[in-house]
Amino acid sequence: MSKPALLMTGPMMPLIGEGAAKAFAVHWLHEAADREALLQKIAPEISAICTGGHTGVKTDDALMARFPKLRIIGNFGVGYDSIDAAAAARRGVIVTNTPDVLTEEVADTTLGLLLTTARELNKAEQWLRQGRWAKDGDYRLTPGSLRDRSVGIIGLGRIGKAIARRCEAFGLPISYYGRHKQPDVSYTYHADPIALARNVDTLIVATPGGAETKNLINAAVLEALGPDGIFINIARGTVVDEPALIDALKARRILAAGLDVFWNEPKIDPAFLELDNAVLLPHVGSASIHTRNAMGQLVVDNLVAYATGKPPKTPVPETPFKGW
Ligand code: 8YV
């Protein structure tokens, strides 16, 4: 029997390409000279898609509609906001993501970003490298510090909780906002982001992206965070009203921001580059070889589960597995 056909929406790590090729006939969209021609040719056969936010391809209802045999969409990443999971559910298509295997890495990165933002470690290192320590003396005492801070986490899911555990170890009190108060959690709950921001001076976004959280952090939330406020985003750029954030940083309505994610990746708004009170990372939250290998393997395991008639390992809640 011939192998089922799989569409890769963009480049993937070799581990994924090689793993998928064992069970599928793999078609690479980004390698096609004429993408539309490729899609037209393979659409009737495609039963699996492998994608990820980094490919820039939106797996929406219209794209899914082109593949009558589609059964599974394997997403590289825990966040699957580039896939219309509700549409997949209506079509009986399983969506899988890569939860758990990246939780601790992303939380580690978040604390690194928070420390760098508060204590200007990036600039202090430049001071040394530029020979200024010997020439001009000590790097300045930083206006930011984690001492006496209190942290508010927007989105207390798996990653939010791993961040909270680390902040607890740093001696920082923790509050959170999410759609619901969690009964088994002792941190202080606030029912809206403005109330949370008003009660803390350090706001960390760890919520999923997508329509539900679009522009959740707006000018009013940043205003409530206040002039000592540090804002950290490792979730999705879409959660923040970017012009409002740039404005707040420029006008010093907040102290500083540490950002790993942006609206328009990788071509971010150039206004960010002008800000001296923002630390900017190129979406590296999960980007270690260790963690990316684990994520890649999980993508392969989910796709191969379909090809071999087994249950997928990590279907998303919108598309529970009920059989192939
Ligand atoms: C990946 C991420 O870099 O897991 C996620 O949701 O944002 C990152 O870990 C990204 O998904 C790659 O497409």
Side-chain angles (χ1 to χ4, degrees):
M1 223 178 76
S2 64
K3 289 176 181 172
L6 178 144
L7 175 69
M8 294 281 184
T9 66
M12 294 286 163
M13 56 197 298
L15 184 155
I16 296 181
E18 287 154 20
K22 289 188 185 138
F24 293 91
V26 179
H27 303 274
W28 295 88
L29 187 60
H30 71 290
E31 285 177 1
D34 183 342
R35 292 183 184 201
E36 186 48 39
L38 174 73
L39 284 177
Q40 276 186 22
K41 187 167 149 236
I42 63 174
E45 295 311 316
I46 291 294
S47 57
I49 292 177
C50 179
T51 190
H54 66 280
T55 69
V57 173
K58 298 270 172 237
T59 310
D60 55 14
D61 194 45
L63 185 63
M64 290 178 216
R66 301 189 64 165
F67 310 111
K69 288 190 185 164
L70 185 63
R71 304 307 311 279
I72 182 167
I73 303 168
N75 185 59
F76 180 70
V78 68
Y80 49 97
D81 45 314
S82 70
I83 301 169
D84 186 341
R90 284 194 301 275
R91 293 178 174 281
V93 173
I94 294 283
V95 177
T96 64
N97 66 343
T98 63
D100 301 320
V101 291
L102 48 54
T103 300
E104 304 301 325
E105 194 79 71
V106 175
D108 290 349
T109 310
T110 307
L111 267 290
L113 182 55
L114 174 59
L115 269 172
T116 305
T117 307
R119 296 297 327 286
E120 303 179 4
L121 302 178
N122 54 334
K123 290 186 194 166
E125 204 231 8
Q126 285 308 312
W127 186 265
L128 179 152
R129 282 185 184 274
Q130 288 160 5
R132 298 192 63 184
W133 191 13
K135 193 158 76 54
D136 300 325
D138 288 344
Y139 183 72
R140 72 168 185 162
L141 304 184
T142 59
S145 167
L146 290 193
R147 294 308 95 215
D148 296 333
R149 278 194 176 267
S150 57
V151 170
I153 299 177
I154 302 259
L156 199 68
R158 282 172 281 222
I159 294 174
K161 285 187 177 123
I163 294 167
R165 281 199 301 277
R166 284 159 175 75
C167 289
E168 273 192 273
F170 276 55
L172 305 170
I174 294 150
S175 317
Y176 71 103
Y177 160 78
R179 277 171 305 176
H180 312 289
K181 182 170 167 27
Q182 300 189 35
D184 51 343
V185 162
S186 60
Y187 310 132
T188 308
Y189 176 69
H190 291 281
D192 76 88
I194 295 182
L196 175 66
R198 204 177 288 128
N199 282 282
V200 300
D201 52 21
T202 306
L203 198 61
I204 303 178
V205 180
T207 193
E212 273 188 42
T213 56
K214 193 172 164 194
N215 287 339
L216 188 66
I217 308 300
N218 55 25
V221 176
L222 297 169
E223 189 76 42
L225 188 59
D228 277 333
I230 293 182
F231 175 73
I232 303 291
N233 188 7
I234 49 89
R236 284 292 182 266
T238 53
V239 183
V240 187
D241 177 343
E242 272 193 356
L245 175 61
I246 291 166
D247 214 47
L249 286 163
K250 260 193 207 155
R252 312 265 163 191
R253 281 196 294 279
I254 64 171
L255 181 70
L259 308 170
D260 187 43
V261 288
F262 303 86
W263 266 86
N264 194 23
E265 298 177 11
K267 293 181 184 152
I268 71 165
D269 186 331
F272 278 116
L273 306 179
E274 306 296 322
L275 299 169
D276 66 355
N277 52 351
V279 177
L280 312 171
L281 296 180
H283 200 147
V284 294
S286 66
S288 70
I289 293 172
H290 169 94
T291 294
R292 286 291 172 84
N293 279 347
M295 290 165 64
Q297 192 55 53
L298 187 50
V299 172
V300 171
D301 290 348
N302 276 307
L303 292 168
V304 170
Y306 160 69
T308 52
K310 299 196 178 91
K313 277 191 160 175
T314 48
V316 302
E318 293 92 325
T319 65
F321 179 65
K322 295 178 190 137
W324 293 116

